[in-house]
Amino acid sequence: MKKIYNISYFWLLTSLFLLIYTFYKDNTNLDATKNYYVKYYIISFLFLLFSLSSFFFKKNFKKKIFNIFIFFILSIYTIEICLVLNKKNLKLNGLDKFSYYQKFKLSNPNSVLAIDPYNFLNEVNQNLMPLSSISNKLTIHCNELDFFSSYITDRFGFNNPDSQWDEKITDFVLVGGRFAHGDCVNEEDNISGNLRKFSLNNTAINLGYGGNGPLMEFASLVEYLPALNVKKVIWLYCERNDLAFNSTEGLNIELNNSILLKYLKDKNFSQNLRNRQHEIDIKVSNKLENMLQKINSQRKHNELIKFIKIFEIRNHINQFLSQRVQKKQIYEKKISQDFKNIIIEAKNFVNSRGAEFYFVYITDKTRYTKPVFDIKKNDYQKVIDFLVKSEINFIDLHAEFFNKEKDPLSYFAKSDQGLYTHFNKKGYNSISKLIFEKTKQ
């Protein structure tokens, strides 16, 4: 009988340890979100209740529960071992982004990683909201095509040859998110790079950055367009990300940023970012350093501890749940009056500078994994109707391009997991040609 009670004491001590450890992590992990540890509190309390109840279980029942418990633990750690071994066998060009950068930096000490401005959206007591990154730096970007794309930022921290700012006439200015920024090709192969090859004056300025939503894009025009003699502005709208409803990027979170809101409320507002690049360089450099320190600290974390905490299983579960939430969010995205107001404000601002405004609708690649194109999804038809009603020049990539192609997905990069991501080199080139042809008519 004593041995049976020992099992109950073991469960009780284990549950108390889990509860105390959860409380400790909840109060020491400053990087965790507000409700991150709620699920662990619930699991700990349920385990504690089970442990206390186990003292009253019958002997045979307790033995069965214990055997199931042992089998469950062994199964969990067997899966964890498989995931750890599988991870070691998987290689991304031999190195992940952080490892690649660490190695690359040995021969290129002044290089940096690309840091998108959306990383500053949730900053408290903000007095500067960057819309670009560190200036005049060789920048490692991303890998979707079996190589890490890179570029040298211009004087304002954007993905352009710096000499483009000295040109008397700029044929194109682009704003947008990851497709504008050029994930994940080199600068000469992204949309602005291709437009530069096609245009009369070989000029194009790219103000795009990954994670930019409509309000950040409008703010970028307000800050940087007045420095240029522009002919055409291309607004690259991505239905997957621009209306995202998450805690890090997209219009919803942008509207909660006090500095960005001023661009809508005050037509004369400006942060004067063109004259504050030194401040931006310092701010983004500090952010990069903090991110690298955090990653490095995680890398040094004891592998045994990570194994005990079934790190890989938890990571896979979180990724699975995140993907399910994203799929739901993708379908539920709706355009709002704020979105419409921003687009109209942007058009009017561009026209007031003597330039033409073009809205390019980039449909999400997942649409082309389905047999039927749903015009209601992401308010696709409502966006088109709004553009027509507002007399805004637009290019619908679905109607004008993808719907005419036998294999639309061949224009997107494909990951090792079989997921389609951003355009590949062929896709960027074809889309750039279409934009050029449509805007010269």
Side-chain angles (χ1 to χ4, degrees):
M1 190 72 175
K2 187 176 180 181
K3 289 184 178 180
I4 300 301
Y5 271 106
N6 286 342
I7 295 173
S8 296
Y9 283 120
F10 168 75
W11 284 336
L12 179 61
L13 290 174
T14 303
S15 63
L16 288 172
F17 171 78
L18 288 175
L19 183 59
I20 293 170
Y21 182 73
T22 300
F23 178 79
Y24 165 74
K25 293 294 290 184
D26 188 19
N27 287 275
T28 57
N29 187 359
L30 300 179
D31 293 324
T33 55
K34 185 177 180 181
N35 297 316
Y36 178 78
Y37 286 100
V38 170
K39 55 182 176 290
Y40 296 110
Y41 277 119
I42 293 173
I43 292 171
S44 299
F45 276 117
L46 289 175
F47 193 22
L48 179 61
L49 289 174
F50 167 79
S51 303
L52 293 172
S53 301
S54 70
F55 284 95
F56 304 98
F57 291 165
K58 291 182 179 180
K59 180 179 178 180
N60 289 335
F61 181 69
K62 188 177 292 190
K63 279 186 176 181
K64 290 180 181 180
I65 293 295
F66 183 72
N67 289 335
I68 292 172
F69 177 79
I70 294 299
F71 176 77
F72 176 75
I73 294 298
L74 290 175
S75 300
I76 287 293
Y77 280 102
T78 300
I79 295 171
E80 179 70 11
I81 290 172
C82 292
L83 291 175
V84 170
L85 293 175
N86 184 57
K87 184 177 181 180
K88 289 182 178 180
N89 289 328
L90 286 175
K91 293 185 178 180
L92 184 63
N93 238 13
L95 296 168
D96 59 32
K97 184 174 181 177
F98 176 73
S99 299
Y100 177 84
Y101 174 65
Q102 294 286 71
K103 185 176 180 180
F104 185 83
K105 195 173 175 66
L106 294 175
S107 56
N108 299 273
N110 291 321
S111 61
V112 297
L113 284 175
I115 300 295
D116 298 317
Y118 78 84
N119 286 288
F120 299 94
L121 281 172
N122 287 317
E123 197 173 55
V124 179
N125 299 323
Q126 193 176 48
N127 57 20
L128 172 66
M129 176 61 211
L131 298 172
S132 62
S133 193
I134 307 169
S135 61
N136 302 311
K137 289 287 186 180
L138 175 57
T139 303
I140 304 302
H141 193 188
C142 53
N143 184 340
E144 293 178 350
L145 296 166
D146 295 327
F147 70 94
F148 282 94
S149 58
S150 62
Y151 57 91
I152 298 176
T153 52
D154 60 31
R155 68 192 67 175
F156 297 122
F158 291 105
N159 184 6
N160 301 291
D162 187 68
S163 60
Q164 288 291 302
W165 292 95
D166 298 323
E167 299 291 341
K168 292 182 179 179
I169 297 175
T170 301
D171 293 315
F172 295 95
V173 165
L174 281 74
V175 291
R178 291 174 177 85
F179 286 99
H181 194 191
D183 291 21
C184 285
V185 296
N186 289 327
E187 190 279 328
E188 64 270 17
D189 296 319
N190 64 19
I191 295 177
S192 58
N194 281 309
L195 288 176
R196 202 173 293 124
K197 301 169 193 172
F198 305 149
S199 66
L200 178 64
N201 298 292
N202 302 120
T203 53
I205 292 285
N206 179 3
L207 301 180
Y209 257 103
N212 279 13
L215 188 48
M216 291 179 73
E217 291 157 19
F218 174 58
S220 298
L221 290 176
V222 171
E223 292 291 343
Y224 296 99
L225 199 66
L228 301 165
N229 180 14
V230 185
K231 287 185 176 182
K232 299 178 178 72
V233 170
I234 309 299
W235 183 288
L236 295 170
Y237 168 75
C238 176
E239 66 174 359
R240 180 184 181 89
N241 297 320
D242 284 25
L243 303 182
F245 282 85
N246 59 47
S247 61
T248 58
E249 61 182 276
L251 180 57
N252 187 51
I253 192 68
E254 289 177 351
L255 289 168
N256 289 321
N257 183 282
S258 60
I259 291 180
L260 291 179
L261 274 177
K262 293 178 182 178
Y263 288 98
L264 281 181
K265 295 179 179 180
D266 183 358
K267 291 185 177 182
N268 297 316
F269 175 75
S270 170
Q271 294 184 79
N272 195 25
L273 295 183
R274 296 197 309 277
N275 295 317
R276 300 178 68 183
Q277 188 58 42
H278 180 63
E279 293 178 61
I280 294 172
D281 287 347
I282 294 173
K283 190 179 186 74
V284 180
S285 295
N286 290 337
K287 171 68 76 172
L288 173 59
E289 186 62 30
N290 290 336
M291 292 173 72
L292 291 175
Q293 286 179 359
K294 182 178 178 181
I295 294 172
N296 202 34
S297 175
Q298 291 173 345
R299 291 291 176 98
K300 292 179 179 178
H301 196 57
N302 190 299
E303 292 296 326
L304 178 60
I305 298 299
K306 289 176 70 174
F307 176 74
I308 292 172
K309 293 167 67 175
I310 54 173
F311 176 83
E312 292 299 329
I313 289 179
R314 291 189 295 117
N315 189 42
H316 277 71
I317 291 173
N318 288 333
Q319 287 181 358
F320 173 75
L321 294 175
S322 176
Q323 288 174 0
R324 287 182 63 88
V325 170
Q326 282 184 354
K327 287 179 180 179
K328 185 177 180 181
Q329 288 175 339
I330 289 170
Y331 192 83
E332 293 178 348
K333 287 169 187 170
K334 305 291 182 182
I335 62 170
S336 63
Q337 190 59 47
D338 288 314
F339 171 80
K340 294 178 181 179
N341 292 342
I342 291 169
I343 301 302
I344 292 173
E345 285 291 329
K347 173 185 178 293
N348 292 339
F349 179 77
V350 169
N351 291 160
S352 72
R353 307 296 305 179
E356 299 177 62
F357 181 85
Y358 290 87
F359 184 103
V360 178
Y361 194 122
I362 303 176
T363 39
D364 181 43
K365 66 259 181 189
T366 58
R367 285 181 175 276
Y368 305 107
T369 62
K370 312 293 182 184
V372 178
F373 186 92
D374 184 357
I375 63 172
K376 294 182 180 180
K377 186 176 181 179
N378 297 332
D379 273 354
Y380 165 81
Q381 191 59 53
K382 288 184 179 180
V383 173
I384 300 300
D385 292 342
F386 157 70
L387 296 171
V388 172
K389 183 178 179 181
S390 303
E391 298 183 342
I392 295 173
N393 297 320
F394 71 93
I395 302 169
D396 178 357
L397 292 188
H398 170 69
E400 299 284 352
F401 184 75
F402 291 119
N403 196 40
K404 299 177 181 179
E405 296 294 319
K406 290 183 179 179
D407 185 11
L409 291 174
S410 68
Y411 294 91
F412 293 89
K414 192 174 183 179
S415 70
D416 293 335
Q417 292 76 34
L419 301 175
Y420 293 93
T421 49
H422 303 95
F423 297 140
N424 53 29
K425 187 176 177 179
K426 169 187 169 184
Y428 277 110
N429 184 266
S430 299
I431 297 304
S432 302
K433 284 181 180 177
L434 177 66
I435 292 173
F436 179 73
E437 291 300 322
K438 290 294 180 181
T439 55
K440 77 174 186 180
Q441 293 177 0

